[in-house]
Amino acid sequence: MNKIIVEVGSTCTKFDKFDGKNIERIKNVTIEFKKNYKAENKLNPKDVEILIKEVNELDKDLNNIYVCGTSIFRTLEEKEKSEFLENFETNTGLKFDIITPEKENEFTVIGATKHVNEKVAVFVGGGGSTEISIYDKGIKEMVNTPMGAIDIMNIYTDLRE
């Protein structure tokens, strides 16, 4: 059972292949959704075009592709969100799932703790959000914030150097 998972973040889009047992990174693509959104107060059409092009280059023979978006897509106004979702599906034939911070956190913790048998903290620092979980044979606690690395660098510009 092969499945491709596409996680569209605020800055980095990750393409992974899952064979039922192992996950293999296919590629990372930088699409600066959040940066360009901040500048234009809307999704940049060129960013959306790049995403659609990258998704359409996937091996459609697999017929098992899951595409999800994280923090930047959660912040969209309803009209822009529905227009984006419709455009994406029309141009790729695929659904685009905008996941909650909790679901994003859960997916990451499951992957990060696959071989962990003790209590650990899992820190997920994304471009547009940060999630922290305490894992001990399951998620015991979690906290999510809508601030990520891009936000921090915009506030503390000297960090870029």
Side-chain angles (χ1 to χ4, degrees):
M1 170 214 124
N2 285 324
K3 180 176 192 100
I4 292 181
I5 302 158
V6 182
E7 179 195 345
V8 186
S10 295
T11 304
C12 186
T13 298
K14 297 171 229 143
F15 296 79
D16 296 307
K17 187 175 187 179
F18 179 64
D19 66 7
K21 186 175 180 182
N22 298 302
I23 297 174
E24 173 192 348
R25 176 65 38 96
I26 299 170
K27 64 181 169 178
N28 288 326
V29 177
T30 300
I31 308 173
E32 298 193 60
F33 282 106
K34 186 162 190 164
K35 177 183 172 189
N36 295 331
Y37 186 89
K38 291 264 187 198
E40 302 170 25
N41 204 29
K42 65 177 185 165
L43 286 177
N44 180 306
K46 288 183 181 175
D47 292 343
V48 174
E49 188 178 307
I50 292 167
L51 174 62
I52 288 170
K53 176 186 167 287
E54 292 289 340
V55 168
N56 281 332
E57 289 177 358
L58 294 171
D59 182 0
K60 297 289 179 152
D61 290 337
L62 291 176
N63 269 343
N64 203 358
I65 299 171
Y66 175 71
V67 184
C68 66
T70 60
S71 67
I72 187 61
F73 300 96
R74 293 190 286 260
T75 65
L76 300 177
E77 296 292 327
E78 277 309 310
K79 182 177 186 229
E80 184 176 18
K81 187 184 294 185
S82 63
E83 287 172 358
F84 166 77
L85 294 172
E86 184 178 321
N87 179 32
F88 184 85
E89 185 172 358
T90 297
N91 286 289
T92 65
L94 299 169
K95 296 271 189 211
F96 188 100
D97 187 18
I98 299 173
I99 60 174
T100 65
E102 294 77 20
K103 187 56 80 174
E104 180 180 2
N105 199 342
E106 180 185 339
F107 285 162
T108 304
V109 171
I110 290 168
T113 60
K114 185 176 178 183
H115 301 292
V116 173
N117 295 317
E118 56 195 74
K119 186 175 184 178
V120 295
V122 179
F123 176 86
V124 183
S129 64
T130 302
E131 295 82 32
I132 302 171
S133 294
I134 302 300
Y135 173 87
D136 190 9
K137 297 178 181 69
I139 297 173
K140 302 302 180 190
E141 295 179 59
M142 75 169 62
V143 64
N144 305 304
T145 175
M147 182 173 277
I150 299 300
D151 304 297
I152 299 297
M153 287 191 298
N154 286 337
I155 294 168
Y156 304 99
T157 54
D158 58 325
L159 288 176
R160 293 176 195 261
E161 298 170 15

